[in-house]
């Protein structure tokens, strides 16, 4: 019999990976090596199940999966939308729930209604562009930032921001509010398009096992 090939998983570093591993444990997939927080190793193997795992920066996960360097990835919907890669999104894992929103001071609400040419600061230029140009038909200037987006309207870099809101406390503590909701977000499982065909049996089994415990 032909030897089983490794299925490779790319996980977004941080909370997302921790949550994913917790979920995998509940369906009998473990990776003890990965729990050692001090390790500098980049790739972890479960020999018995023929699985390999690696941690990558969130925005790089869809890239690894599109090129087939990973068969499967777990990443936020925000990253999937922003990266626009050719991959299959197969399952909503129902954790890491938050929302992509247009936020700003209350006074900016009318700028959104009157379709004014405003500046939008964001870490997600593609999502912001799609929202304003294709959904709202409003011409805006998008300014790409890399973090602490809430600063932009406070210091006058932009009128509004397009950013992730989870608890809303960053907004509240900085005198900003949600003005419009772009879309709900959560962690998703993504699959390489060729792997989906070549490893259909193993991947389908994994998806159905995960489906049973999602939301529990
Ligand atoms: C995210 C997001 C908001 C904050 C929202 O930032 O960009 O700033 O979390 O969470 P809250 O609604 O619970 O306050 P993150 O902490 O990932 O860092 P960043 O600002 O560097 O992007």
């Amino acid at each position: 019999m032909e030897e089983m090939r490794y299925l490779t998983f790319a996980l977004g570093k941080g909370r997302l990976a921790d949550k994913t591993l917790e979920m995998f444990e509940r369906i009998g997939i473990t990776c003890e090596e990965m729990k050692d927080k001090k390790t500098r190793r980049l790739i972890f193997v479960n020999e018995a199940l023929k699985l390999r795992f690696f941690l990558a920066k969130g925005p790089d996960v869809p890239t690894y999966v599109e090129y087939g360097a990973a068969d499967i990835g777990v990443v936020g919907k925000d990253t999937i939308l922003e990266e626009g890669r050719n991959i299959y999104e197969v399952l909503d894992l129902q954790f890491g729930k938050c929302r992509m929103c247009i936020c700003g001071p209350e006074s900016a609400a009318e700028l959104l209604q009157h379709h004014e040419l405003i500046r939008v600061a964001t870490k997600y230029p593609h999502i912001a562009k799609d929202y304003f140009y294709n959904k709202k038909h409003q011409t805006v200037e998008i300014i790409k930032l890399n973090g602490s987006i809430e600063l932009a309207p406070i210091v006058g870099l932009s009128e509004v921001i397009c950013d992730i809101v989870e608890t809303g406390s960053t907004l509240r503590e900085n005198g900003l509010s949600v003005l419009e909701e772009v879309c709900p977000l959560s962690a998703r499982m993504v699959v390489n398009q060729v792997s989906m065909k070549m490893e259909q049996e193993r991947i389908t089994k994994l998806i159905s096992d995960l489906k049973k415990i999602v939301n529990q």
Side-chain angles (χ1 to χ4, degrees):
M1 203 181 99
E2 207 180 306
E3 206 183 327
M4 218 200 294
R5 92 187 226 320
Y6 282 97
L7 266 191
T8 303
F9 291 77
L11 309 179
K13 261 185 205 168
R15 254 186 310 171
L16 216 62
D18 294 343
K19 276 281 209 173
T20 305
L21 292 174
E22 256 174 60
M23 224 171 178
F24 282 0
E25 285 218 338
R26 290 167 58 201
I27 59 164
I29 295 177
T30 51
C31 192
E32 292 305 316
E33 291 179 335
M34 230 169 159
K35 290 183 188 162
D36 175 6
K37 295 280 177 206
K38 283 180 294 191
T39 184
R40 305 286 292 173
R41 279 182 65 178
L42 296 172
I43 191 140
F44 305 91
V45 183
N46 180 324
E47 282 295 346
L49 298 174
K50 289 276 181 222
L51 302 175
R52 299 197 304 172
F53 301 86
F54 65 82
L55 297 175
K57 283 262 186 194
D60 295 338
V61 168
T63 313
Y64 284 106
V65 174
E66 182 185 273
Y67 284 92
D71 300 288
I72 294 168
V74 174
V75 70
K77 177 70 178 175
D78 50 319
T79 304
I80 297 174
L81 292 171
E82 185 61 25
E83 296 299 313
R85 293 280 175 182
N86 288 315
I87 50 180
Y88 293 135
E89 182 187 320
V90 296
L91 185 62
D92 183 346
L93 295 169
Q94 306 274 353
F95 62 81
K97 285 191 184 180
C98 49
R99 301 180 293 156
M100 184 65 72
C101 297
I102 307 302
C103 313
E106 289 289 354
S107 60
E110 63 177 315
L111 301 175
L112 293 169
Q113 265 142 38
H114 299 132
H115 283 208
E116 304 214 16
L117 176 60
I118 51 170
R119 286 182 295 188
V120 182
T122 186
K123 204 153 105 176
Y124 302 91
H126 287 109
I127 296 177
K129 196 169 170 197
D130 179 61
Y131 181 70
F132 280 101
Y133 284 70
N134 300 332
K135 290 214 184 84
K136 282 182 63 91
H137 306 290
Q138 178 171 5
T139 305
V140 295
E141 183 180 345
I142 291 165
I143 302 173
K144 163 90 199 273
L145 290 179
N146 295 296
S148 303
I149 316 298
E150 290 84 354
L151 262 178
I154 300 172
V155 298
L157 176 65
S158 69
E159 282 77 22
V160 298
I161 60 174
C162 174
D163 198 19
I164 292 173
V165 179
E166 192 180 353
T167 62
S169 46
T170 312
L171 292 178
R172 268 193 304 278
E173 288 185 30
N174 292 287
L176 305 171
S177 327
V178 170
L179 303 174
E180 289 177 0
E181 182 176 319
V182 177
C183 61
L185 304 169
S186 57
R188 308 291 162 100
M189 192 165 117
V190 293
V191 178
N192 170 271
Q193 296 183 344
V194 176
S195 307
M196 196 66 220
K197 292 189 185 70
M198 305 298 287
E199 294 291 337
Q200 200 195 10
E201 211 171 301
R202 292 168 84 192
I203 296 175
T204 310
K205 167 88 166 64
L206 173 69
I207 297 169
S208 74
D209 285 352
L210 284 170
K211 269 189 186 158
K212 286 179 204 143
I213 63 148
V214 157
N215 270 334
Q216 270 178 13

